[in-house]
Amino acid sequence: NQRCGLEAALVDFGDYHPLKPIMVTDTKTRRGTRKGSTSSSSSSSSSAPPDPLSSMLDGTDPLSMFAAASASETPDLGRRKREKEEEAVGPDFEPWSLKRGEILARFTTTEKLSINLFMGSDRGKATSQGSAVSEKVRTRLEELDDLEEGSQRELLNLSQQDYANRIEELNQSLKEAWSSDQKVKALKIVIQCSKLLSDTSVIQFYPSKFVLITDILDTFGRLVYDRIWTMCSDPRPLPDNFTVEDVNDTAKETCLNWFYKIASIRELLPRLYVEAAILKCNRFLNKSAIQETLPRLTAMIRGIGDPLVAAYARAYLCRVGMEVAPHLKDSLNRNFFDLLGTFRQISSENVRAQLVLQMVEMPEYLTLYSPAISWILQCIAYRAPESLLTEMMERCKKLGNNALLLNSVMRAFRPEFVAARATDFIGMIKDCDEAGFPKHLLFGSLGRSLASADPPESERLTILNEAWKVITKVRSPQDYINCAEIWVEFTCRHFTKREVNTILADIIKHMTPDRAFEDAYPQLQTVIPVQSVELHFQFLLFSVLQERFLPFLDMFQKDSVRVEVCKSIMEVFIKHQVELTRDPVILNAMLHICKTMHDSVNALTLEDEKRSLALLIIGFIRMVSFGRDFEQQLSFCVEARATFCNLEPVLVQLIHTVNQLAMETRRVMRGNHSRKTAAFVRACAAYSFITIPSLSSIFSRLSLYLLSGQVALANQCLSQADAFLKAAVSILPEVPRSISVEGKLRSSESFLLDFINSFLATLLVIPDHPEHGVLYLVRGLLNMVQDYTWEDNSDAKVRVYISALPLLAAMSQETYLYSIPKVDSNETLYGGDPKFLSEINKLCETLIGQILDHLKTLGRDESTRRQGALAFSLFGVLLAHSDLRNNKLSQLAVNLWNLSHKHGYCETRTSVRTLEFIKHQTQQPDMAHLSDMVQRLTLQSRT
Amino acid sequence: MFSGSFILQIVSETSESKYLGLFNKARQKNETVAGVILLICKEALQHHGISLSMEGVVNLQLSSKSVGVFEAFYNSVKPIQLISSNIEVAKAGKIPGGKTEIPFEFPLHTKGNKVLYETYHGVFVNIQYSLRCDMKRSLLAKDLSRSCEFIVHCQPQKSKVIPTPVNFTITPDTLQSREKNSLPKFLIRGHLDATNCVISLPLTGEVVVENSDVPIKSIELQLVRVETCGCAEGYARDATEIQNIQIAEGDVCHGLAIPIYMIFPRLFTCPTLETTNFKVEFEVNVVVVLHDDHLITENFPLKLCRL
């Protein structure tokens, strides 16, 4: 038969044509369905309406076909463009995305939620409530008939998280439906979702529900807009500021279809929300369409009976309006005036009954409004002229100073505006009736405005007094601290110690009973940094410290919280304290704080935590200075050492401080110590000497010993210096072969070599101890090096020997290269005694012997590269420090040169430069003997 | 033979854009319907002639409740042909493989003194215009046929429509109901900006709930079509709902004007039509549902026209 043939033809038809679905067969079936569902009576609203929407949308979706026809998609362009337009609002407008999270976090519930979705048929709630059983049966049957389309899903007993997840699922299925060309399904999802907004059960969750569902609406609006936009982007994308003329007819028609479809949605709320969601699409149709639609939608909201639902619908409309046409202020204002007009609804019988049923108190109910109203007011107040704000305020006043409105006004309007009228606002707050909206919230909002804008100077004290009068009467500690926290900043900024003290005292008084402070740590914590960032921070904080601050700190009895507070204080202190201080009040308080931090360290404390605590304490120690009173400073260090014994970095800092103190004393005495100062520097040395062993890091110990030794030497404390160096030498064997550097295990060799080299440099000026033998320390060190278990296959020991040679050479000079004032080095002690020189020579011989032995071993081990390098460095030392007039030595040097070049591992550039240096040296007087040697040094070509 | 590889399609050129996939841009009287027949086949195709026909028909149907009463009269309801014409597009021959386009044009001339009515999809009255393309083929192969609907919009009426606002007041006393005494007290006022409406513009007005003892549950606008089929012997008149638009939900604020706003759905509405055989009229009901599910309905006959 013919029809079959047609159908088959249809399937095969690959090419798109706009009129493809226009088939009589199609139309006929459509008419059939509609007839079936049409009721014959017009008198009952509960009869299932023949829905032109669903009947029109049955079957193949024409929009999907358009979509297929539309040119390659450019969603990115669309997005970019959108972002650009949003910018038109300006960065100073607090965007919805910020509010969003705030609302979700604030309005939560533990009650069970439910989602009721009728996919498919548009039978409203009226039906299901009207006839009970038969309807249920019918729905069930329909469900069986058509699970996909006509299914009704009722999800009960959802927790809040479940609910959010479900909504997100819907959001996803919306996107999926859209991308798989099921535009009808997409629209149905959106309609069903917006329907959920008329449900005010579990009312305390409503604001969050609004946020979740409007996310879906936003997605939908974006999808539709992008789709139509891409339809016009052939051949080239639409410009950002396109006009109606740029839009082609197909796109216009599609756009119009959406509006027709939405206009036939039965229920008010979905119709309103969905049209608002695609408000932006009006740009495709008509220049003034948005301008005409906004007032109409605004008026439409009047039909919503529930005041909360209406308020949020207004918020959504304002939000969309701000995004799409921020210049259309009129409908924003209109919305607000309508809101004021319907305000009495809030206290209507209906609402009361609902609250009783849900067991929600009036104050809590009222706070549910604040996000919506604040948002509307924020939109209105954005770049609004002063006169408008004044008018708004007057209108609110006329409504009997409704607290809820007042609160929103204070939060939404510019802080400067509020601050300038602070006295007025206080008057209005006073006039509010206590029953509905708690006053401390109002004062909280006022305080927030005053924190960022200053009220007239003359009124400040009155404002504070008036506000605090109310705040101090707040009974619940939680409410109290929430409000007080805000006002502390205002007080700190404009008032003196006395007022701040009073307020802190009041806070302590309120928070102490029943250990209320335990619940308020976050708020109490903010009191401190807020207070301290003030410019006259020092003046305030420290004068307050003595009387109130420490008791205030005592409120933080939970260790972790207390340490956090201390840390934030210390951070502020280090940042703002520019001068060194000796103020006993500050020191006392800071020591107390630091001790608290230090005492929190235990075996479980993380390294990072320790480090940050140590840094803060070090920061404090560096700030302490008693000026010329060095003894006082030393005793402070003694005290600090006792207090902070668990944090090594602090001890290290203390040792440095003490060393610095000794050097400072020397500077003051210009190097000539009196008996008293000599005793003092010895005390300093003693301090270091007994502190160093308590450090666990071996290299800290070594370097501090060396440093302290140097300091002691500089201060003519010979025996102390000796002791330091001896101690350093004696702990050398303890150095482990590998240490952990930044968490990684690394060989300690290079560190050790560095240390020994600088140690050797110091040894030059150390006079020999009269009771010990010649070169006692040098020998000691070399013995330690000899005995130390070096790494296998390491040249480190020989490297030490090689670097000891220059020291010995320097020691044999008549005048040393450097010396320490007022300290007699070996040059003066021995005065070039031949015995001393021969000792040195003997030592040198031993060392060179050892080195040569090692070189031989290397030759055997085939480690020729290492051999060459070592031989070359020994050659360098000989060249620089030895008397090459000695034939044996010069022969040795030549041999070493040859050895290093034997295997061709030598860097030619270095060799060439060395040769050039030697040739240059031969020009010098007394250096003629070198020319002879140069002849024997040959450069080897690389083989 | 191999119908799967063959496609015959009519493209109406004058239908510039589509409306919900059905068709679109309405044709007006004394215009032409023009377009192309698009033939796509993989290989050359033998046929015995292609013809194109245009038809405009009013289908009348009696509702089930009327059938019993007017049994005799039932048979007399037969489709009314408004326009019909047929042209031969191609003589028997062969179509080459690939895409073939055959343009066509029909003048919209009525038979005799018949008038073209606007396209309308109703329950008992349907006015529909369609194009149908037939390809005759050899005995062995099936004939192929394809049709599509096109829309006819009337030329605007010359006369200007002067809006006549209609005020209304609903109280228990104004109701024609037996139980009016048992009803709670209420006073609902409002107005429609006009009852003679332009079909392309929304129906507008306002409704104000001045006071009501019982909370209001919902206020709705019900658009109703009233279709009358009949002749001298008698007639059947049926009112059915086209759409129901909720304009207020819940207990709305008293004293506040709630906008009445409804867009007339396309296809399902047409300018009010009155002929000797049938009538298509429209009404709107303002329905107030009280909390106890009491329905209060105020009816307004509308006169739709096209401007």
Side-chain angles (χ1 to χ4, degrees), chain A residues 2 6 12 17 22 24 30 34-35 42-43 49-50 56 253 257 266 268 271 296 299 302-303 305 345 350, chain B residues 4 11 18 20-22 61 122 145-148 222 241-242 244-246 248-249 251 257 259 261 266 295:
Chain A
Q2 204 181 27
L6 268 174
D12 250 38
H17 196 281
I22 304 176
V24 174
R30 201 168 292 148
R34 196 192 61 239
K35 204 160 64 182
S42 61
S43 56
M56 274 190 272
E253 196 59 36
N257 276 337
R266 202 191 94 83
L268 173 65
R271 195 167 67 244
R296 180 168 60 75
R302 291 174 165 202
Q345 288 280 95
N350 263 346
Chain B
V11 182
K18 312 103 241 175
L20 290 170
L22 282 176
Q61 208 172 356
S145 164
R146 184 69 103 209
S147 50
C148 83
Q222 192 180 34
E241 181 184 280
I242 301 174
N244 193 328
I245 294 284
Q246 188 186 39
E249 182 182 15
D251 194 17
Y261 183 91
R266 298 190 284 191
L295 292 182

Side-chain angles (χ1 to χ4, degrees), chain B residues 226-240:
Chain B
V226 183
E227 294 164 317
T228 315
C229 307
C231 50
E233 294 101 87
Y235 62 92
R237 188 172 190 271
D238 290 288
T240 48

Side-chain angles (χ1 to χ4, degrees), chain A residues 1-2 6 9-10 12-13 15 17-24 27 30-31 34-35 38-40 42-45 49-50 52 55-57 62 66 129 198 250 253 256-257 260-261 263-269 271 296 299-300 302-306 341-342 344-345 350, chain B residues 4 6-7 9 11-12 17-24 40 61 99 121-123 126 128 132 134 142-149 215 217 220 222 224 239-254 256-259 261 263-264 266 268 285 289 295:
Chain A
N1 64 52
Q2 204 181 27
L6 268 174
L10 178 74
D12 250 38
F13 182 69
D15 229 325
H17 196 281
L19 287 183
K20 178 183 145 206
I22 304 176
M23 287 170 296
V24 174
T27 336
R30 201 168 292 148
R31 194 170 52 191
R34 196 192 61 239
K35 204 160 64 182
T38 306
S39 78
S40 52
S42 61
S43 56
S44 154
S45 74
S55 59
M56 274 190 272
L57 291 176
F66 294 170
Q129 284 164 3
S198 62
T250 323
E253 196 59 36
L256 206 59
N257 276 337
Y260 266 108
K261 264 185 260 184
S264 65
I265 296 173
R266 202 191 94 83
E267 277 165 81
L268 173 65
L269 209 61
R271 195 167 67 244
R296 180 168 60 75
M300 213 163 129
R302 291 174 165 202
I304 300 173
D306 189 302
T342 55
R344 53 196 142 101
Q345 288 280 95
N350 263 346
Chain B
F6 169 74
I7 285 151
Q9 188 173 17
V11 182
S12 175
S17 43
K18 312 103 241 175
Y19 167 45
L20 290 170
L22 282 176
F23 45 79
N24 192 15
I40 300 171
Q61 208 172 356
K99 220 190 222 180
H121 291 197
V123 180
N126 263 295
Q128 221 170 8
R132 179 187 165 103
D134 289 294
K142 277 180 223 152
D143 289 353
L144 292 170
S145 164
R146 184 69 103 209
S147 50
C148 83
E149 180 174 1
K217 192 168 164 187
E220 287 153 24
Q222 192 180 34
V224 173
T240 48
E241 181 184 280
I242 301 174
Q243 71 173 8
N244 193 328
I245 294 284
Q246 188 186 39
I247 56 166
E249 182 182 15
D251 194 17
V252 290
C253 191
H254 293 182
L256 192 72
I258 296 158
Y261 183 91
I263 293 175
F264 294 109
R266 298 190 284 191
F268 302 106
N285 288 327
V289 189
L295 292 182

Side-chain angles (χ1 to χ4, degrees), chain B residues 42-282:
Chain B
K42 280 183 187 155
E43 36 200 288
L45 183 76
Q46 197 77 42
H47 67 91
H48 290 215
I50 301 170
S51 65
L52 188 66
S53 59
M54 175 182 68
E55 203 169 44
V57 180
V58 181
N59 278 305
L60 300 177
Q61 208 172 356
L62 291 178
S63 67
S64 54
K65 71 173 180 190
S66 315
V67 167
V69 185
F70 300 100
E71 206 108 61
F73 160 66
Y74 178 69
N75 293 328
S76 66
V77 184
K78 56 181 183 218
I80 307 161
Q81 200 167 52
L82 297 174
I83 190 167
S84 170
S85 61
N86 198 332
I87 48 169
E88 188 175 43
V89 179
K91 291 213 165 63
K94 214 174 188 182
I95 306 165
K99 220 190 222 180
T100 311
E101 286 186 5
I102 307 169
F104 64 86
E105 198 174 87
F106 271 114
L108 279 174
H109 281 320
T110 48
K111 281 195 216 160
N113 60 351
K114 286 229 169 81
V115 192
L116 286 186
Y117 307 125
E118 276 203 15
T119 301
Y120 165 71
H121 291 197
V123 180
F124 304 107
V125 178
N126 263 295
I127 308 171
Q128 221 170 8
Y129 296 86
S130 62
L131 285 169
R132 179 187 165 103
C133 181
D134 289 294
M135 178 190 277
K136 289 203 178 64
R137 302 213 280 163
S138 64
L139 285 171
L140 288 171
K142 277 180 223 152
D143 289 353
L144 292 170
S145 164
R146 184 69 103 209
S147 50
C148 83
E149 180 174 1
F150 67 94
I151 291 220
V152 169
H153 277 182
C154 290
Q155 263 175 343
Q157 281 122 1
K158 297 281 173 340
S159 61
K160 253 196 172 171
V161 178
I162 300 142
T164 49
V166 180
N167 293 315
F168 61 88
T169 307
I170 317 174
T171 63
D173 297 334
T174 64
L175 295 179
Q176 303 154 324
S177 166
R178 275 169 283 124
E179 47 182 25
K180 67 165 84 172
N181 293 328
S182 66
L183 278 176
K185 267 192 190 166
F186 58 83
L187 169 60
I188 295 162
R189 262 203 284 264
H191 70 266
L192 291 178
D193 290 334
T195 51
N196 45 350
C197 304
V198 179
I199 197 164
S200 54
L201 297 179
L203 172 78
T204 54
E206 272 181 352
V207 59
V208 187
V209 179
E210 295 289 1
N211 57 59
S212 166
D213 283 359
V214 177
I216 283 161
K217 192 168 164 187
S218 175
I219 302 178
E220 287 153 24
L221 296 176
Q222 192 180 34
L223 182 64
V224 173
R225 50 170 106 74
V226 183
E227 294 164 317
T228 315
C229 307
C231 50
E233 294 101 87
Y235 62 92
R237 188 172 190 271
D238 290 288
T240 48
E241 181 184 280
I242 301 174
Q243 71 173 8
N244 193 328
I245 294 284
Q246 188 186 39
I247 56 166
E249 182 182 15
D251 194 17
V252 290
C253 191
H254 293 182
L256 192 72
I258 296 158
I260 290 176
Y261 183 91
M262 178 165 69
I263 293 175
F264 294 109
R266 298 190 284 191
L267 278 182
F268 302 106
T269 49
C270 68
T272 304
L273 194 57
E274 210 165 315
T275 71
T276 46
N277 296 328
F278 65 94
K279 278 200 268 188
V280 180
E281 292 156 306
F282 298 92

